[in-house]
Amino acid sequence: MTFFIEIFMQIIFPILLLLALGAFLQRKFSFQLKQLSTLVTNCFMPAAIFLHIYHSSFDVSLLGQLLSYLLIFTVALMIIGQVMAKCLSLNKGEAATLKNSISLMNSNNYGLPVSQLVFTVNPLGVSVQIIIIVVQNILTFTYGMYNLLSTSRSIGSLILSLVKLPVIHALLLGYLFLLFNIPLPTFIEIPLEQLAAGFIGLALLLLGAQLSQIQLKMFHRVITWSLIGRLLLGPALSFLIITLLGIEGVLAQSLFIASAFPTSRNTATIALEYNVEPQLTAQIVLYSTLLSSLTVSLVIYLSFVIYT
């Protein structure tokens, strides 16, 4: 119990403080969050991802296990969401909301900061999270968008949106520089490091500001099943797959922890943009983020108990 409390106080509580500060500042100053979100997504996050890849020493022999896990885990979550939506007899908008909320995790401005705090002395854990970020971004602009717009948007436009993502470019450039051992000039590395250093704080402040604008309404049954699927079934499924694939060590820890992250804030963004149950989606993001402070702490604790 002492170790669990220590994890909560040293990893999750600092994140909650920044979320609360972001919410307070938004209430007081009413920032233009669209511009701030664009800044984080197109500048601070790519810099952090590029440098983590560039300075990483990822074991290629683990790549097969990682990709196998992500494929099985992702498809399984999609199936769970589909089955839940069918069993609950939801309308199209509610079904799309439920499926996206279970499959799409906040790996960007929640997951990466958590991983950076947990794996401060082991960059492999952060490198794994970066790959998960890329996979989640791909899912958001393919599977997630398809759930909302399958009848009104072409596959070609979805692919075009994906190709334009700065995180994809940062990942590819990072691997190219790492693979060919290309030295990074100091006058470029220094500003990239400064941007990367600011990512965690700004990302969490932004998330807190976004959550402060969500209006709470009647608790919908979709919210309940979404929280069960994302925060409880996700980690349980992850543990099962990790065990079946025989994954161990830091890789197992990183994957297990990542499975517990709350619903992606991007689900609320695209739901609002295309007017598909925006309030319901926003409430799911808020509740899952708040409750994840407990579930993520528990999963981090279990990851140290089981995999070390």
Side-chain angles (χ1 to χ4, degrees), residues 167-181:
V167 292
I168 302 294
H169 304 157
L171 178 77
L172 294 176
L173 283 174
Y175 274 116
L176 284 175
F177 273 69
L178 178 65
L179 181 63
F180 295 103
N181 197 25

Side-chain angles (χ1 to χ4, degrees), residues 52-74:
H52 276 300
I53 294 296
Y54 179 72
H55 292 301
S56 69
S57 55
F58 191 83
D59 189 349
V60 179
S61 64
L62 299 177
L63 191 59
Q65 284 185 316
L66 172 58
L67 295 179
S68 297
Y69 167 89
L70 290 176
L71 176 62
I72 298 172
F73 182 69
T74 301

Side-chain angles (χ1 to χ4, degrees), residues 210-268:
Q210 290 172 318
L211 294 177
S212 72
Q213 296 186 320
I214 296 174
Q215 297 178 357
L216 295 180
K217 296 184 177 180
M218 185 179 296
F219 201 84
H220 198 287
R221 61 176 179 154
V222 171
I223 299 176
T224 301
W225 287 104
S226 171
L227 295 176
I228 291 172
R230 176 83 302 277
L231 300 179
L232 298 180
L233 294 182
L237 178 64
S238 175
F239 173 75
L240 178 62
I241 298 172
I242 289 171
T243 303
L244 291 175
L245 294 178
I247 302 175
E248 299 176 344
V250 175
L251 179 58
Q253 277 185 295
S254 183
L255 294 175
F256 187 44
I257 293 171
S259 71
F261 294 147
T263 297
S264 170
R265 67 175 177 83
N266 288 331
T267 60

Side-chain angles (χ1 to χ4, degrees), residues 14-276:
I15 289 177
L16 293 178
L17 284 179
L18 285 175
L19 292 179
L21 178 59
F24 169 77
L25 292 174
Q26 178 60 25
R27 293 285 187 179
K28 185 174 179 62
F29 298 110
S30 299
F31 298 118
Q32 297 296 318
L33 297 185
K34 174 64 175 176
Q35 287 78 3
L36 286 176
S37 179
T38 301
L39 182 64
V40 171
T41 303
N42 292 277
C43 185
F44 285 84
M45 185 187 298
I49 287 176
F50 175 84
L51 285 182
H52 276 300
I53 294 296
Y54 179 72
H55 292 301
S56 69
S57 55
F58 191 83
D59 189 349
V60 179
S61 64
L62 299 177
L63 191 59
Q65 284 185 316
L66 172 58
L67 295 179
S68 297
Y69 167 89
L70 290 176
L71 176 62
I72 298 172
F73 182 69
T74 301
V75 172
L77 287 180
M78 291 178 182
I79 294 173
I80 289 173
Q82 186 70 38
V83 170
M84 279 189 178
K86 284 286 186 182
C87 292
L88 295 172
S89 299
L90 302 176
N91 62 44
K92 289 184 178 180
E94 292 172 345
T97 299
L98 178 63
K99 289 186 284 186
N100 281 353
S101 66
I102 292 174
S103 300
L104 304 179
M105 302 175 291
N106 194 347
S107 301
N108 293 349
N109 58 351
Y110 186 104
L112 186 55
V114 168
S115 295
Q116 288 177 319
L117 291 172
V118 174
F119 299 106
T120 51
V121 296
N122 198 325
L124 173 61
V126 179
S127 298
V128 170
Q129 182 58 39
I130 288 171
I131 294 175
I132 294 174
I133 286 175
V134 174
V135 171
Q136 282 292 310
N137 274 286
I138 292 173
L139 282 176
T140 298
F141 290 94
T142 51
Y143 176 75
M145 293 288 284
Y146 176 79
N147 280 332
L148 298 178
L149 308 169
S150 57
T151 60
S152 62
R153 190 164 178 177
S154 68
I155 297 297
S157 62
L158 293 178
I159 294 175
L160 184 61
S161 298
L162 179 63
V163 171
K164 291 180 179 179
L165 286 176
V167 292
I168 302 294
H169 304 157
L171 178 77
L172 294 176
L173 283 174
Y175 274 116
L176 284 175
F177 273 69
L178 178 65
L179 181 63
F180 295 103
N181 197 25
I182 302 174
L184 195 62
T186 303
F187 64 86
I188 293 179
E189 186 170 9
I190 289 176
L192 285 177
E193 288 178 344
Q194 292 171 336
L195 288 173
F199 167 71
I200 295 180
L202 186 56
L204 292 173
L205 289 174
L206 175 61
L207 180 58
Q210 290 172 318
L211 294 177
S212 72
Q213 296 186 320
I214 296 174
Q215 297 178 357
L216 295 180
K217 296 184 177 180
M218 185 179 296
F219 201 84
H220 198 287
R221 61 176 179 154
V222 171
I223 299 176
T224 301
W225 287 104
S226 171
L227 295 176
I228 291 172
R230 176 83 302 277
L231 300 179
L232 298 180
L233 294 182
L237 178 64
S238 175
F239 173 75
L240 178 62
I241 298 172
I242 289 171
T243 303
L244 291 175
L245 294 178
I247 302 175
E248 299 176 344
V250 175
L251 179 58
Q253 277 185 295
S254 183
L255 294 175
F256 187 44
I257 293 171
S259 71
F261 294 147
T263 297
S264 170
R265 67 175 177 83
N266 288 331
T267 60
T269 301
I270 60 178
L272 178 61
E273 183 174 351
Y274 297 103
N275 196 29
V276 180

Side-chain angles (χ1 to χ4, degrees), residues 211 214-215 268 277-287:
L211 294 177
I214 296 174
Q215 297 178 357
E277 300 289 349
Q279 283 297 323
L280 177 60
T281 306
Q283 289 183 77
I284 290 173
V285 172
L286 175 59
Y287 283 121

